[in-house]
Amino acid sequence: MPYYHKLGEIPHKRHTQFRKPDGGLYAEQLFSTEGFSNDYSLLYHVHPPTHIIKTEKPVNVAPQVAEEKMLSHRSFEGFRVKPASDYLESRTPILVNNDVHIVLAAPKAGHPDYFYKNADADEMIFVHEGSGVLTTMYGELPFGYGDYLVIPRGTIQQIRFEGENNRLFIVESFSPIRFPKKYLSKYGQLLEHSPYCERDIRPPVNLKTHDEKGDFKIRTKKKGILYNIHYGHHPFDVVGWDGCCYPFAFSIHDFEPITGRVHQPPPVHQTFEANNFVVCSFCPRLFDYHPQSIPAPYNHSNIDSDELLYYVDGDFMSRKNVTRGMLTLHPAGIPHGPHPGAVEKSIGAKETKELAVMVDTFHPLMLTKQALEIENDNYVMSWAE
Ligand SMILES: [Fe+2]
């Protein structure tokens, strides 16, 4: 999806002989997430990426849906998800449908003993708290507060954190996560009206080639099952790669808000898109400057999308009792809007410090068993005066 990039050593021509110092051939791998008909990268491994030496009994990790159908405003305390030592175990699915899984995680540590691959879904990890480095076969992505890490499905990864206090908001997307089409030129450059540009996109850096033999476990998730597949060589044995399909980081703090004389609609906050959902960033910004403007949003009937808002930091002028890490879900079918008193209160305000991530899904989200455990009761009644 991003622009063309290359790191390390690659041959002058693709699909030609590229030899190691000992005369042997490097193993070329084409990596894409949509067959051979979209963006791709070519990676050059010291050893073929196919050397499986052992497989274990698969484990079912599919989310357990507790409420499949509903029509009610809901709210959840994301920070009530308990910290866990194991990275994969810490990942707690909250809301799911066939296009997307919304996952919260509070991992106390990374996973130096194994590698992870999501074979089904691109992952967008929003870093609410914590910092560290995400390493993939493409190199390293250092990350910190406010970063979106976007990882194409199939990427082998290993994450490490600097401390134990980490909070992640994760979107697993069963289609590629892309820059919104409306921001792109015919040939893929981010246009002048886009709220971010290529300079804001951080590709992998510091490619280290691990030419190591041994037993390397890659925990691979596919269709809700975790397969522990052991390989005979270190998966990060790439000497070089180039192309347009690779993981990247983008900081929400580099998103330039679009403002106007009157209230701007949610699409101005759009950050990413995928099949049947979008991701938006609500960032600190100046409010509308028409002399009669109302900064609070108008009521709206999102009849064709469920609106999920994840509150990060700052103030939230249209809502009462908002906490960090809180989620609100306003389902398609019933209108929603500011809480009582919020509209009048917003008049005259000059700016907002709110920071939030929104995911609008075009098909209804289902609630998992873990979602019910962190739910705020009676949120639907919070508009009653
Ligand atoms: Fe809304």
Side-chain angles (χ1 to χ4, degrees):
M1 176 181 70
Y3 51 86
Y4 174 82
H5 193 66
K6 66 179 171 184
L7 210 54
E9 299 297 317
I10 54 172
H12 175 64
K13 273 274 182 197
R14 58 186 175 179
H15 321 321
T16 58
Q17 295 174 35
F18 180 33
R19 294 195 178 275
K20 306 176 203 176
D22 70 2
L25 285 166
Y26 285 113
E28 187 182 50
Q29 179 189 9
L30 185 140
F31 185 98
S32 78
T33 59
E34 291 178 291
F36 296 94
S37 28
N38 215 319
D39 295 346
Y40 67 95
S41 289
L42 292 171
L43 300 100
Y44 296 88
H45 295 269
V46 177
H47 303 281
T50 48
H51 184 195
I52 294 171
I53 55 171
K54 188 168 75 177
T55 58
E56 292 177 33
K57 203 164 167 253
V59 184
N60 188 348
V61 292
Q64 288 177 265
V65 172
E67 251 188 83
E68 193 182 332
K69 294 178 184 174
M70 63 98 189
L71 188 58
S72 180
H73 299 314
R74 311 292 282 259
S75 151
F76 312 92
E77 288 296 333
F79 278 18
R80 263 194 237 150
V81 165
K82 290 196 179 62
S85 300
D86 180 72
Y87 175 67
L88 287 186
E89 273 176 27
S90 78
R91 294 168 52 122
T92 309
I94 302 294
L95 298 156
V96 298
N97 69 17
N98 287 336
D99 304 310
V100 65
H101 287 183
I102 305 295
V103 174
L104 295 174
K108 287 203 263 189
H111 47 105
D113 302 335
Y114 62 86
F115 300 85
Y116 167 57
K117 178 165 96 173
N118 192 330
D120 280 329
D122 280 30
E123 295 197 351
M124 185 206 84
I125 301 176
F126 177 77
V127 182
H128 192 167
E129 289 187 348
S131 58
V133 178
L134 174 79
T135 307
T136 71
M137 64 262 215
Y138 292 90
E140 296 179 345
L141 284 173
F143 63 83
Y145 167 60
D147 277 338
Y148 289 108
L149 302 170
V150 178
I151 308 157
R153 51 191 157 160
T155 304
I156 300 166
Q157 50 184 289
Q158 200 169 43
I159 199 164
R160 83 177 180 261
F161 298 98
E162 272 161 27
E164 286 200 348
N165 298 323
N166 307 294
R167 289 278 170 186
L168 310 174
F169 172 77
I170 302 171
V171 171
E172 294 185 21
S173 167
F174 298 96
S175 60
I177 295 174
R178 301 177 290 258
F179 299 144
K181 211 172 175 184
K182 64 182 181 179
Y183 296 155
L184 297 170
S185 74
K186 194 172 161 190
Y187 298 106
Q189 186 177 12
L190 286 158
L191 290 165
E192 187 61 17
H193 69 268
S194 167
Y196 56 88
C197 75
E198 283 79 1
R199 293 183 199 182
D200 302 313
I201 305 303
R202 289 149 37 210
V205 293
N206 204 16
L207 179 69
K208 289 178 190 149
T209 308
H210 296 265
D211 180 6
E212 292 170 36
K213 280 186 184 167
D215 182 338
F216 300 92
K217 180 158 73 173
I218 302 182
R219 307 188 77 184
T220 303
K221 191 161 74 156
K222 188 176 167 80
K223 300 286 176 207
I225 306 288
L226 204 52
Y227 300 89
N228 292 322
I229 305 173
H230 296 249
Y231 285 78
H233 294 100
H234 198 296
F236 301 158
D237 67 343
V238 169
V239 293
W241 62 269
D242 76 336
C244 294
C245 185
Y246 52 86
F248 64 89
F250 167 64
S251 171
I252 196 168
H253 308 302
D254 284 330
F255 185 94
E256 296 303 329
I258 295 166
T259 59
R261 241 160 72 90
V262 294
H263 191 81
Q264 297 293 298
V268 300
H269 305 281
Q270 196 181 342
T271 310
F272 302 117
E273 70 184 13
N275 292 357
N276 298 322
F277 77 91
V278 296
V279 177
C280 297
S281 304
F282 288 84
C283 297
R285 63 194 180 278
L286 296 181
F287 271 140
D288 327 317
Y289 47 90
H290 186 286
Q292 298 293 315
S293 69
I294 297 176
Y298 31 77
N299 301 294
H300 49 283
S301 53
N302 43 304
I303 203 72
D304 59 353
S305 69
D306 278 15
E307 286 189 19
L308 176 71
L309 202 54
Y310 177 75
Y311 298 91
V312 182
D313 274 308
D315 52 345
F316 296 94
M317 48 82 186
S318 62
R319 296 259 167 279
K320 300 189 282 197
N321 306 322
V322 168
T323 56
R324 296 177 72 237
M326 185 172 159
L327 293 149
T328 56
L329 174 62
H330 301 131
I334 42 177
H336 66 276
H339 275 131
V343 173
E344 281 287 3
K345 207 173 133 203
S346 77
I347 292 172
K350 295 284 178 246
E351 62 176 330
T352 173
K353 302 271 192 228
E354 72 180 8
L355 192 66
V357 176
M358 185 169 79
V359 179
D360 280 7
T361 65
F362 306 148
H363 295 296
L365 288 163
M366 299 176 281
L367 279 63
T368 65
K369 172 174 138 296
Q370 293 98 324
L372 299 186
E373 289 165 7
I374 59 164
E375 182 165 21
N376 288 316
D377 292 335
N378 238 10
Y379 172 68
V380 68
M381 297 310 293
S382 60
W383 285 262
E385 302 208 48

